[in-house]
Amino acid sequence: VTGVTVASLVAAAGDARDRWGATRPVAVATRDLSPGEVVDRGAVEVRDLPSAMVGDATTAEPPVGAVVRQPILAGEPVAPSRLAPDGLTGVAALVPAGERAVAVAVGPAGVPPLAVGDQVDVVTVMPPGATGDGGGDPAFTLVERATVVAVGEQAVTIAVPDSDAPRVAWAVANGAVVLSLAGM
């Protein structure tokens, strides 16, 4: 009976392996990793996972020293696309390719409670009378869903598309920007 049971279990394990296909080594997060965090040796481990489950967008090499650009959950394979390019550190590591970081001073109106990784709309507010005959909109959105890359007491730094950076910088320099927290 024991022999039949063991043979049955071994066959079931073989069937499961055949359904999932071959395995390969993959770097996996051992704990939740937040944007801006530097990956240390304890943050990742290499596990053998089914190739069909992880695809080609993962690495077997633990990315020790890399900066996390997007959240990675415990148990999740680490994809290089979720990490900053080699050599980038600090806030620069969180700015996506094709975007620029712009600091927005925390003004008298304040800002909503923000954290790195949040999405905000950049709204410019026109001074009274600037809309001419009063028919214009006194506020409008310059950029939707800019990513917060740093939060300080004096300023919030956001990543905006390259093409929008000059307009946002002008609005910031003229004290006419409000950040509006964007939901999902």
Side-chain angles (χ1 to χ4, degrees), residues 97-112:
E99 296 193 9
R100 297 288 182 256
V102 178
V104 178
V106 175
V111 295

Side-chain angles (χ1 to χ4, degrees), residues 35 112-120 145-149 151 158 181-182:
L114 297 172
V116 171
D118 283 345
Q119 302 283 303
V120 294
R145 305 194 73 76
T147 302
V148 175
V149 294
V151 178
I158 56 173
L181 184 60

Side-chain angles (χ1 to χ4, degrees), residues 9-170:
L9 291 173
V10 169
D15 290 344
R17 183 185 61 242
D18 292 342
R19 279 193 306 271
W20 281 103
T23 62
R24 67 182 180 90
V26 176
V28 175
T30 59
R31 65 176 191 272
D32 290 350
L33 302 173
S34 301
E37 187 173 347
V38 177
V39 177
D40 60 31
R41 293 202 185 282
V44 291
E45 67 184 13
V46 177
R47 296 182 190 164
D48 283 331
L49 297 176
S51 296
M53 187 176 103
V54 295
D56 294 331
T58 57
T59 180
E61 291 297 318
V64 175
V67 178
V68 176
R69 185 174 267 175
Q70 298 172 349
I72 301 171
L73 301 177
E76 182 179 348
V78 178
S81 63
R82 310 278 291 280
L83 303 171
D86 287 340
L88 290 181
T89 60
V91 174
L94 300 177
V95 179
E99 296 193 9
R100 297 288 182 256
V102 178
V104 178
V106 175
V111 295
L114 297 172
V116 171
D118 283 345
Q119 302 283 303
V120 294
D121 291 341
V122 182
V123 179
T124 188
V125 180
M126 304 301 289
T131 58
D133 62 0
D137 199 353
F140 57 92
T141 302
L142 284 174
V143 178
E144 292 182 351
R145 305 194 73 76
T147 302
V148 175
V149 294
V151 178
E153 290 183 28
Q154 303 294 320
V156 174
T157 305
I158 56 173
V160 300
D162 286 342
S163 60
D164 293 326
R167 291 183 311 134
V168 172
W170 183 91

